[in-house]
Amino acid sequence: MPYKRLFDSHCHLNDPVFKKEMKDVLSRAKAEGVIGAIVPGYDLDSSKRAVELARLHKSLYAAVGIAPHSADEFGPDDLAIISQLAESPDVVALGETGLEYHHGPDKKRQQELFRAHIRLAEALELPLIIHSRDADDDLWSIIETEGLSRGVLHCFTGGSELMERAVGHGLFVSISGIVTFKNAVDVQRAAKDVPIENLLIETDAPYLSPIPHRGGRNEPSYLVHTLEKVAQLRGIAPDELAEKLRSNTNRLFFALYENENAD
Ligand SMILES: [Zn+2]
């Protein structure tokens, strides 16, 4: 029996690698109980494609935004385009955006990009999908000074201090397949310690395949491995966790669409 009504809070089905087999990927996801997913953009093209996919497929929703990796190419007109794309009824969040200090471009540029996204998210009353790597302190000082009301730290790999700050601020923490890796002690600790009301899970496909698919191309149907691992770490049944995650997903992304997405 597949799990009931799982939701992949972050997968890049807008990556060209999925172009030719979208139908198969979606039917495999459905067979595993993954009935919905958010497809975040990471630049203008991928944001447009996310909106297009969400328009074509009932189970998919879009987020639009520019990732820190592309901060160098980001110009003032681009945010206007993102804002325009966000008007589509299939867009439920802005992102992904954030700070990438591990191998990202100029930090100042990244910070400008991140601030601009927070302001736009607040203006549009959309939650923000945040990428952060090796940037905990700067990330938090920007979130605090700009004042972000709704969002998720996606593919969480930060420390416990960042987790506590995020939770204290009402943000969500999303756990990826990294949690299944043997040495990912910090991510496992976060998955176990984060209050269940603030927890989401994701594949971040096509990257970061969970065990037993590690090293291969990831896809939403593999979300079950992350669900099972997190449930095991927390000592609860996967079904019970799935139900909780479903309501978290609704709270963060679909609060404005409650009637359309009622159970
Ligand atoms: Zn991503």
Side-chain angles (χ1 to χ4, degrees):
M1 273 288 279
Y3 296 108
K4 279 188 217 134
R5 304 190 303 155
L6 299 182
F7 194 93
D8 189 348
S9 79
H10 194 111
C11 63
H12 296 291
L13 294 181
N14 46 354
D15 189 296
V17 80
F18 290 114
K19 218 167 191 171
K20 288 211 173 95
E21 48 166 338
M22 189 64 66
K23 237 178 114 188
D24 292 340
V25 167
L26 291 177
S27 73
R28 281 196 294 271
K30 202 173 167 198
E32 293 289 349
V34 183
I35 57 151
I38 289 179
V39 180
Y42 38 90
D43 56 19
L44 287 184
D45 280 350
S46 60
S47 294
K48 285 175 193 162
R49 178 134 175 87
V51 174
E52 180 69 11
L53 284 172
R55 200 176 56 77
L56 289 172
H57 303 281
K58 211 168 163 263
S59 60
L60 301 181
Y61 301 86
V64 293
I66 298 166
H69 317 71
S70 302
D72 272 346
E73 305 137 40
F74 166 70
D77 296 344
D78 296 345
L79 209 67
I81 298 173
I82 291 295
S83 174
Q84 226 167 44
L85 286 171
E87 281 174 23
S88 157
D90 300 305
V91 171
V92 297
L94 280 199
E96 62 180 290
T97 189
L99 301 176
E100 166 59 65
Y101 286 0
H102 187 69
H103 52 220
D106 178 67
K107 289 181 183 177
K108 282 261 154 12
R109 296 279 297 166
Q110 293 192 43
Q111 291 165 11
E112 271 173 45
L113 177 81
F114 185 37
R115 285 180 191 280
H117 276 79
I118 293 180
R119 286 172 197 163
L120 186 60
E122 289 302 306
L124 300 176
E125 297 185 5
L126 286 172
L128 190 63
I129 298 174
I130 302 164
H131 170 105
S132 171
R133 193 164 176 207
D134 294 347
D136 288 13
D137 286 342
D138 283 356
L139 189 90
W140 200 257
S141 86
I142 291 175
I143 286 176
E144 291 230 294
T145 52
E146 293 294 335
L148 174 69
S149 15
R150 292 196 296 148
V152 52
L153 301 183
H154 111 85
C155 191
F156 187 79
T157 54
S160 52
E161 199 182 330
L162 181 66
M163 192 197 79
E164 277 161 28
R165 281 164 151 178
V167 167
H169 202 84
L171 302 184
F172 286 75
V173 167
S174 182
I175 301 293
S176 73
I178 293 177
V179 75
T180 66
F181 301 171
K182 215 174 182 171
N183 299 328
V185 186
D186 288 348
V187 176
Q188 289 166 1
R189 188 180 305 127
K192 185 170 172 283
D193 290 349
V194 65
I196 200 158
E197 287 74 24
N198 299 74
L199 178 65
L200 291 175
I201 59 171
E202 65 176 71
T203 58
D204 204 10
Y207 316 106
L208 298 168
S209 276
I211 286 172
H213 304 285
R214 190 173 181 178
R217 194 216 58 203
N218 199 358
E219 63 172 58
S221 66
Y222 298 168
L223 188 69
V224 291
H225 303 294
T226 301
L227 175 85
E228 285 171 355
K229 182 68 186 184
V230 175
Q232 180 211 326
L233 287 165
R234 300 183 72 100
I236 61 174
D239 270 325
E240 190 188 330
L241 178 60
E243 202 47 50
K244 206 68 199 166
L245 294 171
R246 171 82 184 160
S247 102
N248 290 351
T249 300
N250 278 337
R251 245 174 40 246
L252 180 63
F253 294 113
F254 302 113
L256 301 171
Y257 304 93
E258 232 148 40
N259 296 331
E260 286 163 51
N261 291 280
D263 289 342

